[in-house]
Amino acid sequence: MHEQVTTEGFVVRVLGRLARRGEQRTIAVCPTQAVGRQLSTSFPDLPAVISPFAVDDGQCLTDVERDGGRVAFGIPAAEAVVCLVGGWWPYKDIDTVDKALPRLKEPLHLVVVGTPLDEAVLGRWRSLPGLRVHTVPGPVSEAVLRLVYAAADVTLVTRLPGTGKESGLVMDAARLRVPLLVSNHDPALTTRLDRLPWARTFPAGEPAALTDVLHKIIRMPPARPGPEAPGQVGMRSAAEQADFLTHTFASLENAEPRPRSAEC
C-alpha cells in the first residue's frame, strides 16, 4: 500500500462487506508508519505490517560518475550544487522552494530533473542573480538520473506537511550515497534522519528556514553517506526483501499472528 489517496463510497463499502471473509487472507504491507495508521483507520481488521518498499541494489555512485556529473553540466568541482529530482506533483512543496531561492546570498547551481515542471517557476529561478539553473526534462534514463545525483552536493526533497508515504527520493539518496536535505513533513522519517551526519532537515513550509540550511550547505556540504546508509532508512537488499516477503506470506498460510505495526 504505497499510499491511501481515496475515500470509500457506498459501492466500495458494500463490496468490502461481501469480501469480509477474504480479509484475513490478505496482508497489507505499508511502507511507512503514517500509511499504516491511515490504513488501520479505514480497515481496522485488515492485517498489516510496516516495511519500506525500496530495495538497495548495491550500485552506489562511483568517483568516475561524480566527476562525470560535474563535467556533463559544466559545473566546476569547487562550486555548490543542489539537485531537485522528480515531477512537481501536488504533494511536493515547490512553493516553499520558490520563496526560499530569492533569499539566497551565496552562489548556487540547481539541477532540476523530472516531469511535469512549471516553466513559469523555472523562468523566475533563471532570472535570480547567483543561481544557475540546469534543467533535464523527464522522464530520463537511470544512467542520466545517476549523473544528476552524481553532480550534486545534496539532493533536496520537499513535501507538504502531513505527507506520509515513502519517498523514493530519500531512498535514492541513501542507495546512491548522496547527502540529503529534506523537509520535516513526516515525523517518523525526521526522527530517523535527525541523527545522521549526511542528512539535514528543515521545517516544512518555511522558506526562510530552507534558505538558512542552504547557506550552511553551500559553505560546508554534508559528508557523503557510507555503506550503512540504506539500513539507516530501513532499506533492505534484494535478498533480504525477498526473505521478508516470503516469511510474511508464510505467516498468512500458517495462520500465525501478525502484529499491526512491525517496524522493520
Side-chain angles (χ1 to χ4, degrees):
M1 299 291 298
H2 186 57
E3 60 181 320
Q4 187 177 334
V5 297
T6 59
T7 56
E8 292 184 322
F10 172 76
V11 174
V12 174
R13 287 196 295 271
V14 170
L15 291 174
R17 286 195 291 270
L18 292 174
R20 182 70 65 189
R21 284 188 297 178
E23 197 170 78
Q24 294 304 310
R25 296 192 53 79
T26 302
I27 298 178
V29 181
C30 302
T32 67
Q33 294 178 32
V35 172
R37 286 193 297 268
Q38 187 179 17
L39 186 69
S40 66
T41 299
S42 299
F43 303 96
D45 298 321
L46 178 64
V49 293
I50 309 299
S51 177
F53 169 77
V55 171
D56 176 24
D57 61 3
Q59 301 297 315
C60 62
L61 294 172
T62 66
D63 290 339
V64 171
E65 284 178 308
R66 293 183 187 280
D67 293 340
R70 292 296 179 112
V71 171
F73 292 102
I75 301 173
E79 296 182 7
V81 184
V82 171
C83 69
L84 186 61
V85 176
W88 294 358
W89 303 105
Y91 57 86
K92 294 191 177 182
D93 191 6
I94 300 301
D95 185 57
T96 292
V97 181
D98 191 31
K99 293 176 181 176
L101 292 178
R103 301 167 183 256
L104 284 176
K105 295 179 174 61
E106 304 276 355
L108 177 68
H109 292 265
L110 180 66
V111 182
V112 181
V113 56
T115 186
L117 304 175
D118 189 323
E119 287 299 326
V121 173
L122 289 172
R124 286 198 297 272
W125 295 357
R126 293 188 184 102
S127 69
L128 294 174
L131 182 67
R132 286 199 57 192
V133 179
H134 312 259
T135 56
V136 186
V140 299
S141 67
E142 174 72 11
V144 172
L145 185 59
R146 287 176 69 92
L147 280 178
V148 171
Y149 279 119
D153 292 304
V154 69
T155 181
L156 172 59
V157 179
T158 62
R159 299 286 185 269
L160 295 175
T163 303
K165 67 176 185 174
E166 179 179 303
S167 171
L169 302 182
V170 170
M171 296 303 190
D172 274 349
R175 176 177 65 89
L176 297 174
R177 315 295 195 266
V178 181
L180 178 68
L181 172 57
V182 61
S183 57
N184 65 353
H185 56 276
D186 180 354
L189 176 63
T190 301
T191 298
R192 277 187 179 271
L193 297 177
D194 271 346
R195 61 180 182 268
L196 302 179
W198 53 271
R200 301 287 185 272
T201 60
F202 68 95
E206 296 191 15
L210 173 56
T211 304
D212 288 343
V213 179
L214 285 172
H215 280 146
K216 293 174 183 177
I217 288 173
I218 291 168
R219 295 165 192 151
M220 184 176 292
R224 293 178 186 171
E228 69 283 355
Q232 290 173 327
V233 295
M235 200 182 314
R236 299 185 182 88
S237 68
E240 290 168 339
Q241 186 79 322
D243 186 62
F244 164 76
L245 293 173
T246 299
H247 280 81
T248 300
F249 176 74
S251 73
L252 178 65
E253 289 292 285
N254 299 329
E256 296 175 1
R258 296 174 297 277
R260 284 227 37 95
S261 180
E263 185 178 2
C264 302

